[in-house]
Amino acid sequence: MAQHQSNPPLRPGAAPAPIVLAGATGDLGFRIAQELLKRGAAVRALVRVGNTKPEVTVLQDLGADIVPVDFNSVTALTKACAGAACVVSALSGLREVIVGTQKRLLDAAVAAGVPRFIPSDFCIDYTRLPAGSNRNLDLRREFNQRLDQAPIHATSILNGMFTDLLTGQAPVVLFGLKRVLYYGDADQPLDFTTTANTAEFTAAAALDPTTPRYLRVAGEVASIRGLQKAATAATGTPFKLLRVGGLWVLGTMIKVTKTLMPTTDDVFPPWQGMQYLHNMFTGLPKLTPLDNARYPEIRWTPVREVLAARK
């Protein structure tokens, strides 16, 4: 695979066009901002008016241009996007954010003449999943259908599951029981990428004017048996497999859980995480081909290293 230069050469004396970043005070967005600054990029971080998170001060101290903006105003967003080389969204939320706010941000980018847009996808390959199989991914599919109709060059970054979730939030590696829990096939390949690696790759892609519509990366592709080996190596204690049942069992559990909590404003209720695992275990959203080699300076963190660093 051809290697790509992250930073295109500038005209002598020219200042780099800024990268506009929405969602810069969230975990992933904060990391993307830092990676962009490390690469010498001019970062314009859009924050909601009144945002007093400590990340705002940190980014300002690192050299980012902090721009308080009304995310409900396309006019205000257009002004904030003026002169940018790329708009990157790391926004998190439900329909109001993923479809509504991102649509206003997209309209602003187009109105400001920004050439490129990176939406807040950062997930498994929802393009290969049937509609209705995952609420959060359906919202991303809906927004990207609008994005594809806009006169702007779009690039979605897909990274599988954040490896960091394996240390607690994702009920797969059960450290107390020394078990790796799963449904279905223990040999199904699964994609994992750390939040840090995803941020590095996104920063490089934001500075690369030649990106395609989709970029797919995985810090490590591992089956459940691979996770078992990684957990054993990371802890020095043998882990065993715990198969709860077939995918139909997980599907039934999802339906029951949704019935018990049918409406919620939580972005990640328990059944949403279960849906994500079900999607992964089917093998349908497996990322292929992988674009890891596009930016060879990135060192991809393996699952074992993440599990070993668990506190």
Side-chain angles (χ1 to χ4, degrees):
M1 182 181 296
Q3 296 180 359
H4 296 257
Q5 183 174 328
S6 298
N7 275 306
L10 297 171
R11 298 186 307 276
I19 304 298
V20 167
L21 175 61
T25 60
D27 184 24
L28 177 60
F30 185 57
R31 293 171 186 258
I32 293 171
Q34 293 177 90
E35 290 298 332
L36 284 166
L37 291 166
K38 286 180 185 176
R39 287 164 168 74
V43 176
R44 189 182 297 164
L46 308 187
V47 300
R48 297 188 184 279
V49 176
N51 188 328
T52 58
K53 289 184 177 180
E55 288 83 359
V56 173
T57 302
V58 173
L59 291 178
Q60 198 163 28
D61 290 344
L62 290 173
D65 181 15
I66 306 298
V67 180
V69 67
D70 179 2
F71 279 88
N72 291 316
S73 169
V74 174
T75 300
L77 288 169
T78 300
K79 182 178 178 181
C81 290
C86 180
V87 169
V88 179
S89 172
L91 296 170
S92 177
L94 297 179
R95 171 174 295 279
E96 180 182 345
V97 175
I98 298 302
V99 179
T101 303
Q102 281 203 127
K103 177 60 166 58
R104 290 189 291 274
L105 185 62
L106 170 62
D107 289 344
V110 171
V114 179
R116 301 175 58 239
F117 191 100
I118 296 178
S120 185
D121 284 349
F122 310 114
C123 55
I124 52 181
D125 195 343
Y126 60 84
T127 68
R128 296 171 179 170
L129 288 172
S133 64
N134 188 301
R135 178 197 64 180
N136 290 11
L137 301 187
D138 282 345
L139 294 176
R140 282 158 173 76
R141 179 187 290 109
E142 181 180 343
F143 173 72
N144 274 277
Q145 288 171 347
R146 299 187 182 191
L147 179 56
D148 284 336
Q149 296 170 2
I152 196 169
H153 182 82
T155 294
S156 289
I157 294 172
L158 306 176
N159 59 274
M161 176 189 282
F162 289 120
T163 318
D164 320 59
L165 298 179
L166 291 174
T167 61
Q169 288 181 260
V172 178
V173 181
L174 309 179
F175 290 92
L177 298 176
K178 307 300 179 187
R179 297 288 188 275
V180 177
L181 180 148
Y182 73 103
Y183 302 82
D185 184 2
D187 295 309
Q188 170 60 49
L190 309 169
D191 299 307
F192 300 95
T193 311
T194 64
T195 309
N197 276 160
T198 303
E200 286 182 85
F201 191 88
T202 303
L207 294 167
D208 175 4
T210 68
T211 52
R213 179 63 182 87
Y214 291 96
L215 286 171
R216 299 173 172 88
V217 294
E220 182 174 347
V221 178
S223 65
I224 288 295
R225 294 190 199 281
L227 293 183
Q228 177 192 16
K229 292 178 181 178
T232 298
T235 63
T237 305
F239 273 64
K240 295 183 180 179
L241 298 182
L242 176 58
R243 185 178 190 271
V244 181
L247 287 177
W248 69 270
V249 174
L250 181 55
T252 300
M253 291 173 62
I254 292 169
K255 291 179 182 178
V256 171
T257 306
K258 288 186 72 174
T259 300
L260 295 175
M261 48 178 69
T263 58
T264 176
D265 293 330
D266 189 354
V267 180
F268 299 107
W271 53 264
Q272 173 61 41
M274 294 162 70
Q275 281 186 335
Y276 206 89
L277 286 174
H278 187 281
N279 295 151
M280 291 182 69
F281 286 143
T282 66
L284 293 175
K286 175 74 187 71
L287 301 174
T288 182
L290 292 178
D291 298 292
N292 289 37
R294 186 177 182 90
Y295 309 115
E297 72 275 13
I298 296 176
R299 176 191 171 273
W300 299 94
T301 305
V303 170
R304 173 188 51 76
E305 217 170 278
V306 173
L307 299 181
R310 173 180 175 267
K311 296 180 181 179

